[in-house]
Amino acid sequence: MPAPILQLNDVKTHFPVSSGFFVRHQTGTVKAVDGVTLSVARGEVLGLVGESGCGKSTLARTILQLVPTTGGTVILEGRNLTSASAAEMLLARRDLQMVFQDPFASLNPRMTVYATLAEPLLVHKVVPPDQVRARVTALMEKVGLSPRFLEKYPHEFSGGQRQRIAIARALALEPKVIIADEPVSALDVSIQAQILNLLSKLCREMNLALIFIAHDLSVVKHISDRVAVMYLGKIVELGPAVEVIEHPRHPYTRALVSAIPTPDPDIERGKKRLVLPGDPPSPLNPPAGCAFHPRCPYVQEKCKVSVPPLIPCGPNREAACVRLDEIGAQ
Amino acid sequence: MPLLEVTDLRTSFHTRSGVYRAVDGVSFSLGKGETLGLVGESGSGKSVTCYSLMGLVPQPPGRIESGTAMFDGIDLLHCAPAQARQIRGKRIAMIFQDPMTSLNPYLRISEQLIEPLLIHEKISKADALVRGLAMLEAVGINDAAKRIHSYPHEFSGGMRQRVMIAMALITKPEILIADEPTTALDVTVQAQILELIKKLQSELGMAVIFVTHDLGVVSGLCDRVQVMYAGRIVETADTRTLFRSPRHPYTKALQRSIPSLQPKGKELYTIPGLPPDLSKPIAGCAFAPRCEFAVDRCRTTDPRLVAINPGHATACVRVQSAEI
């Protein structure tokens, strides 16, 4: 495996919860990200899946240091971002960019496309001012938009076009890692396909590392090389995308895979669906032991005692379940 | 005789920037106990079709230009408001996409849940509460007796959607219109809600109109599917036929752009261009500018939804003349 460009070691992001009207006092801690160890190599697409509230977006924000880390380290090419100064962080962000979910909210409505795309170039002074326009034009072409749109405002574009602008903005500084937080969830399926194709093409051409966050497993399987499944702040399964999704080991991954509706009536009707009871538990008050145990069909007493670590279960595969061998492969 | 027969429904929105023809001549029928999927991308008119049937289109700016929707001898689109109120919420009920905003945050679940009963049936509040409680249990809310007096914010998204379903079904409607009821939910919760709708449907024998953009959801749930594009139905068939042998180029293109149906690593098929601007008159087929099979005739002839096989109709002139 090539050396990772981004390495997370036991990253924790906890948020204090306070209550009281006149006197605020801390009443709890939300462990949004709780001990995540991950790495991404250049040219690799890592899919990060999980249900809402599992901490995948917080993990993205933690990597970019948009929220303070509680523990662990985020290392980008040997630089530890968790202890970086503001000046060092500014430099690091040239290599680390983000694409957000909602292209209707992530672009400034008062800035033209040109201003949006030129801003990072001017802030980081990557090109002399007289070359900015040429760079912006090249960026537009790279994401498949005509440069004649440069003087338009975001409201004049459709959702898919806006997402292309957001991607162009992330590419402006020629980063090495892009984190895309649900970049296609707000888009229709035909537009979603365009953006997925664009992201795969850019990763190949620019040798980018991409962390692709989504809740749709079929999208993740399509675009990712490896996939990490998160549940309540922890990674419960990690491995090559096709294998994890076609032969999931962790009971939660199994349930997640089984819950995806297949667009094929014969398969869909013949399928024995593993429907999980209940909702994901509150991260404010997670269950003891394995966080998944209250919903797990394979639960035993030992699951309620200690938090299971990620253990290897096949080539490049890991899963966090104490009963892996007993429940076998699927 | 079908339970609901919609003929030539046209709904448009009159705004300052023009007239948007959101629904442009939609005709379909729904049989007793049938599940009909209404599929399309955003702006295709699937929700507005449902809103028109329920009388929920804000007028102005909306206007139902023409059409009839016959339900048990009554035209839902033209009957007196009092008559519509007798049907709406009692014999035809609706659930919405966002369970977070469709419950009144100021009222306890109990009050909202039994409101349809108090309006539509001669029933005491105590008896209504008993039925409400039974309904909450039927939709799978644990500890219903205690939770019935909670407020909506005390429930999670999946639970709220269950409450919405309980509220819609409490009057035992003959038709349930479900407008993207699982889009805002997580996939494991979506699986729960879909199972629930299926179970309740077979128990109550009601017909369901299920609006969604997710072809996967449709394939497991619906008997028949209608695909909408730019305010019109472009293809309708039983679910199996629609997935196995789609004929309309738009349906085909839609299927080819779903990642799970394609081999991994292969580039996904994308439909070129954008959906048309509904405020401008469309000459010929609305999909023609994006269609790889379009010929000159497509840009001039208005395609009509014509049966090509029994139960399988498509609005493509080239399919109808057996050219593609």
Side-chain angles (χ1 to χ4, degrees), chain A residues 161-237:
Chain A
Q161 288 173 323
R162 283 186 223 203
Q163 202 58 295
R164 285 175 194 268
I165 298 168
I167 293 171
R169 179 177 59 182
L171 293 176
L173 298 172
E174 297 182 340
K176 294 169 182 149
V177 182
I178 285 192
I179 302 173
D181 188 1
E182 306 250 13
V184 297
S185 307
L187 306 175
D188 274 320
V189 31
S190 66
I191 310 297
Q192 169 181 306
Q194 296 174 5
I195 299 296
L196 289 176
N197 284 344
L198 175 67
L199 282 171
S200 327
K201 189 186 94 180
L202 292 171
C203 281
R204 262 195 327 270
E205 286 177 2
M206 302 173 71
N207 201 21
L208 282 172
L210 173 67
I211 299 182
F212 186 93
I213 301 177
H215 62 269
D216 186 337
L217 279 175
S218 50
V219 167
V220 168
K221 179 181 158 192
H222 186 84
I223 195 170
S224 318
D225 301 310
R226 278 193 309 146
V227 56
V229 182
M230 270 185 96
Y231 191 76
L232 225 62
K234 289 191 167 64
I235 289 181
V236 296
E237 185 155 7

Side-chain angles (χ1 to χ4, degrees), chain A residues 59-238:
Chain A
L59 182 60
R61 286 164 186 273
T62 306
I63 296 172
L64 280 149
Q65 300 292 301
L66 296 176
V67 290
T69 333
T70 312
T73 52
V74 177
I75 294 169
L76 176 73
E77 284 191 313
R79 287 169 286 174
N80 184 357
L81 303 186
T82 45
S83 58
S85 66
E88 286 167 335
M89 206 51 229
L90 185 71
L91 263 174
R93 289 218 174 93
R94 282 173 67 161
D95 293 332
L96 194 58
Q97 288 286 316
M98 187 149 174
V99 177
F100 297 90
Q101 172 171 0
D102 187 354
F104 291 83
S106 66
L107 298 173
N108 187 335
R110 288 165 182 259
M111 281 166 82
T112 60
V113 175
Y114 176 78
T116 301
L117 297 181
E119 191 177 31
L121 299 174
L122 296 171
V123 169
H124 288 274
K125 302 189 180 69
V126 282
V127 286
D130 58 322
Q131 286 172 31
V132 168
R133 183 162 284 271
R135 273 293 276 277
V136 169
T137 310
L139 276 172
M140 288 288 274
E141 280 161 357
K142 195 166 231 161
V143 298
L145 289 174
S146 162
R148 66 192 157 86
F149 293 146
L150 277 177
E151 300 308 324
K152 288 185 182 264
Y153 287 90
H155 74 265
E156 298 174 79
F157 293 95
S158 69
Q161 288 173 323
R162 283 186 223 203
Q163 202 58 295
R164 285 175 194 268
I165 298 168
I167 293 171
R169 179 177 59 182
L171 293 176
L173 298 172
E174 297 182 340
K176 294 169 182 149
V177 182
I178 285 192
I179 302 173
D181 188 1
E182 306 250 13
V184 297
S185 307
L187 306 175
D188 274 320
V189 31
S190 66
I191 310 297
Q192 169 181 306
Q194 296 174 5
I195 299 296
L196 289 176
N197 284 344
L198 175 67
L199 282 171
S200 327
K201 189 186 94 180
L202 292 171
C203 281
R204 262 195 327 270
E205 286 177 2
M206 302 173 71
N207 201 21
L208 282 172
L210 173 67
I211 299 182
F212 186 93
I213 301 177
H215 62 269
D216 186 337
L217 279 175
S218 50
V219 167
V220 168
K221 179 181 158 192
H222 186 84
I223 195 170
S224 318
D225 301 310
R226 278 193 309 146
V227 56
V229 182
M230 270 185 96
Y231 191 76
L232 225 62
K234 289 191 167 64
I235 289 181
V236 296
E237 185 155 7
L238 181 67

Side-chain angles (χ1 to χ4, degrees), chain A residues 189 261-265 268, chain B residues 39-40 212-221 225 227 239 242-243 251 254-258 261:
Chain A
V189 31
T262 336
D264 181 321
E268 188 62 20
Chain B
V39 186
T212 181
H213 64 271
D214 188 338
L215 285 170
V217 170
V218 162
S219 76
L221 190 74
V225 185
V227 182
T239 308
L242 192 98
F243 280 91
T251 318
L254 212 51
Q255 287 194 7
R256 282 166 67 195
S257 45
I258 305 177
L261 290 180

Side-chain angles (χ1 to χ4, degrees), chain A residues 51-52 188 190 193-194 196-197 218 221-222 224 242 259 261-266 268-269 275-276 278-279 295, chain B residues 41-42 156 159 186-188 190 192 216-217 219-220 222 240 243-244 259-260 264 266-271 274:
Chain A
E51 295 178 276
S52 37
D188 274 320
S190 66
Q194 296 174 5
L196 289 176
N197 284 344
S218 50
K221 179 181 158 192
H222 186 84
S224 318
V242 175
T262 336
D264 181 321
D266 293 329
E268 188 62 20
R269 274 153 217 224
V275 178
L276 285 182
D279 294 308
R295 303 174 78 195
Chain B
E41 298 184 85
S42 22
S156 67
M159 295 295 230
D186 274 319
V187 19
T188 58
Q190 163 172 293
Q192 296 169 1
V217 170
S219 76
C222 301
R240 204 158 184 280
F243 280 91
R244 285 277 172 273
S260 63
K264 184 184 158 63
K266 212 177 137 211
E267 189 156 296
L268 291 169
Y269 177 75
T270 57
I271 307 177
L274 294 171

Side-chain angles (χ1 to χ4, degrees), chain A residues 251-268:
Chain A
Y252 176 63
T253 319
R254 290 182 184 195
L256 211 54
V257 169
S258 141
I260 323 171
T262 336
D264 181 321
D266 293 329
I267 297 177
E268 188 62 20

